[in-house]
Amino acid sequence: MSDSGLRIIVSGLIAQYPLGGVAWDYLQYVVGLARLGHDVYYIEDTGQWPYNPEEAGTAKSCDYNVRYLREVLGRFGLEDRFAYCFPWGPTWHGMPDAQRQDVIDSADLLINVSGVLYHPGNYRSAKRMAYIDSDPMFTQLKVAKGQHELKQSIDQHDVQFTFGECLSERVPSTGHHWRPTRQPVLLDQWKSTESTRRTYTTVMNWTSYKDIEFNGARYGQKDRQMLEVLDLPGRIGDVHIELAIASGKTRRPPINRLRHHGWLVVDPDEVCNGFDSYRDYIQQSRGEWSVAKHGYVAGRTGWFSCRSACYLAAGRPVIVQDTGFSEMMPIGEGVLAFDDVEGAADAIRTVESHYDKHCKAARAFAVEYFDSDKVLNQLVEQTMNSPAKHKSGCEVEQ
């Protein structure tokens, strides 16, 4: 790597889903890499019609989405370093066409976060391309079940990373070498101050997509896991847990049933939809409590949420369902894992008994494991030291 750094492109979903949590997920890559001295650009080319929260559905145009993207990047002085492709036409916004193509052709590295690029082969002029699987178990299941376009998309990349740090034997083989990585967090953007609420919170989707069946087993979503801990509020005394829960895409959350069992339920569109309100919601919480997707748990993937990492950076203890990450990181202070409802209750009682200690441990955990400098330096080094494909992308590292 030269003193001036690399020219790096990051792809993501900031404009596609202009929501606070989504923006933070991808923005921390862009800003983190820029802070390391790299020449960073953001290109969003998903081939999908964008979502407009003001219209509560699919956007009729991309005006809102482009404004949102420019504003978010502008907070970090990156407002002139993006290109967004609106599928109607298609038409490009942001950088002029000639500049965008020059950036692509001269890029040292393209990081395809969540594998969202519509045609990654169009970007093979970049010297290296890295695919980041943010949905472990389900990505591999889809490939194993014959989603050839997904496999071909993954094949186009020189290196494949996954948030599944310890994929078990239940995770199907795809013919790729999946390297573990973690979500980068901009530590200075998350304030470790005294919480203003006495409530544990989380932000979640009830379901993100349909369950997937494979080899006689069904791998589900968070709804399946929530129903197994339904009576948790009755086991933890006067401790409250609030779910900022979005309506499921395949099954709607049973709001009245959840409230009957003592859960506080709010609409994320009202409490944490924006870039700032999402961060405020986390920082003002007492901590996070959350289940994981059933597939993450059943596959013992080692997945750990980027949202949870932000809670930790804000000095908020995290109590989350174990997906196998307890085998990869030392837990027990700041981060506590549970497998069942009684384990969840015990973890809450443990945190409450020494709350200040767990807050300090939470921040220290984020510094050790999710600091964007550490995570992104390792990601870049591993990718740039990997074999490059031919421009056709026909070689696949096994």
Side-chain angles (χ1 to χ4, degrees):
M1 185 184 303
S2 66
D3 292 339
S4 59
L6 303 175
R7 173 163 282 187
I8 300 178
I9 298 170
V10 176
S11 65
L13 295 169
I14 298 175
Q16 175 69 29
Y17 297 109
L19 306 170
V22 177
W24 281 108
D25 287 352
Y26 300 98
L27 184 72
Q28 296 187 110
Y29 279 92
V30 182
V31 178
L33 288 164
R35 288 181 174 181
L36 289 173
H38 299 296
D39 182 27
V40 184
Y41 296 84
Y42 178 81
I43 295 181
E44 187 164 337
D45 180 12
T46 68
Q48 299 180 34
W49 213 269
Y51 171 79
N52 186 334
E54 291 186 343
E55 299 175 6
T58 302
K60 297 178 182 178
S61 74
C62 65
D63 293 346
Y64 176 93
N65 306 77
V66 172
R67 285 197 306 271
Y68 180 89
L69 176 57
R70 181 177 285 111
E71 177 186 347
V72 168
L73 291 173
R75 295 189 179 206
F76 300 91
L78 301 169
E79 64 273 16
D80 60 347
R81 289 174 166 261
F82 81 89
Y84 170 74
C85 185
F86 185 55
W88 181 258
T91 57
W92 282 93
H93 300 263
M95 290 184 291
D97 292 348
Q99 181 185 5
R100 182 186 72 250
Q101 194 58 53
D102 176 68
V103 167
I104 295 170
D105 291 342
S106 60
D108 296 294
L109 170 60
L110 184 148
I111 303 174
N112 188 6
V113 187
S114 303
V116 296
L117 280 179
Y118 184 38
H119 288 303
N122 293 342
Y123 296 84
R124 268 307 336 177
S125 54
K127 293 183 178 66
R128 296 286 193 282
M129 289 178 61
Y131 184 102
I132 298 185
D133 164 34
S134 58
D135 199 23
M137 185 65 173
F138 292 101
T139 295
Q140 289 76 20
L141 284 171
K142 291 172 184 176
V143 172
K145 286 177 68 67
Q147 291 194 16
H148 300 297
E149 290 185 1
L150 174 58
K151 185 179 186 304
Q152 291 172 358
S153 175
I154 298 172
D155 288 350
Q156 292 284 344
H157 300 74
D158 302 291
V159 185
Q160 292 80 27
F161 292 93
T162 180
F163 289 163
E165 291 202 53
C166 55
L167 303 180
S168 73
E169 294 181 354
R170 296 191 70 176
V171 180
S173 173
T174 64
H176 304 97
H177 173 51
W178 293 103
R179 304 169 186 243
T181 189
R182 295 180 181 134
Q183 301 87 335
V185 175
L186 302 171
L187 296 175
D188 67 326
Q189 293 296 306
W190 301 89
K191 296 179 181 178
S192 181
T193 58
E194 184 177 352
S195 62
T196 59
R197 303 182 63 194
R198 298 285 298 174
T199 303
Y200 290 83
T201 66
T202 194
V203 185
M204 63 179 288
N205 285 315
W206 188 247
T207 58
S208 299
Y209 39 77
K210 294 181 180 179
D211 296 353
I212 297 181
E213 292 188 14
F214 184 75
N215 285 347
R218 178 184 291 270
Y219 299 94
Q221 304 287 299
K222 285 189 175 182
D223 60 335
R224 179 167 171 177
Q225 302 303 105
M226 277 298 305
L227 294 177
E228 294 183 0
V229 296
L230 199 57
D231 66 346
L232 176 61
R235 297 170 179 251
I236 53 177
D238 60 356
V239 177
H240 300 292
I241 304 177
E242 180 176 276
L243 310 175
I245 183 168
S247 296
K249 294 183 178 180
T250 58
R251 294 181 291 275
R252 297 183 65 82
I255 302 298
N256 291 336
R257 185 181 179 189
L258 290 167
R259 287 174 173 162
H260 176 74
H261 282 270
W263 299 91
L264 304 178
V265 183
V266 296
D267 185 347
D269 288 342
E270 296 178 0
V271 300
C272 58
N273 198 27
F275 186 75
D276 292 315
S277 62
Y278 178 83
R279 179 170 52 185
D280 291 343
Y281 187 75
I282 287 176
Q283 291 178 164
Q284 293 168 6
S285 300
R286 188 163 180 80
E288 184 186 29
W289 179 93
S290 183
V291 294
K293 290 181 182 179
H294 169 261
Y296 297 164
V297 177
R300 298 298 289 177
T301 59
W303 174 89
F304 194 90
S305 169
C306 49
R307 179 197 60 255
S308 298
C310 292
Y311 274 90
L312 293 172
R316 301 292 174 259
V318 165
I319 302 167
V320 287
Q321 189 167 25
D322 194 5
T323 64
F325 63 80
S326 61
E327 302 172 16
M328 311 300 298
M329 298 178 283
I331 63 170
E333 292 187 359
V335 177
L336 287 83
F338 65 87
D339 294 311
D340 53 31
V341 65
E342 190 52 47
D346 287 343
I348 291 173
R349 288 189 284 266
T350 296
V351 170
E352 285 296 301
S353 65
H354 296 91
Y355 181 71
D356 290 342
K357 180 186 74 171
H358 285 282
C359 288
K360 293 178 181 178
R363 175 69 181 187
F365 199 99
V367 171
E368 178 65 25
Y369 293 101
F370 296 101
D371 177 8
S372 61
D373 286 359
K374 297 178 182 178
V375 172
L376 294 174
N377 263 326
Q378 184 178 48
L379 178 70
V380 171
E381 181 179 352
Q382 289 189 31
T383 303
M384 298 311 294
N385 289 334
S386 69
K389 296 183 185 300
H390 293 310
K391 296 298 183 182
S392 64
C394 59
E395 293 183 356
V396 182
E397 182 182 351
Q398 299 292 337

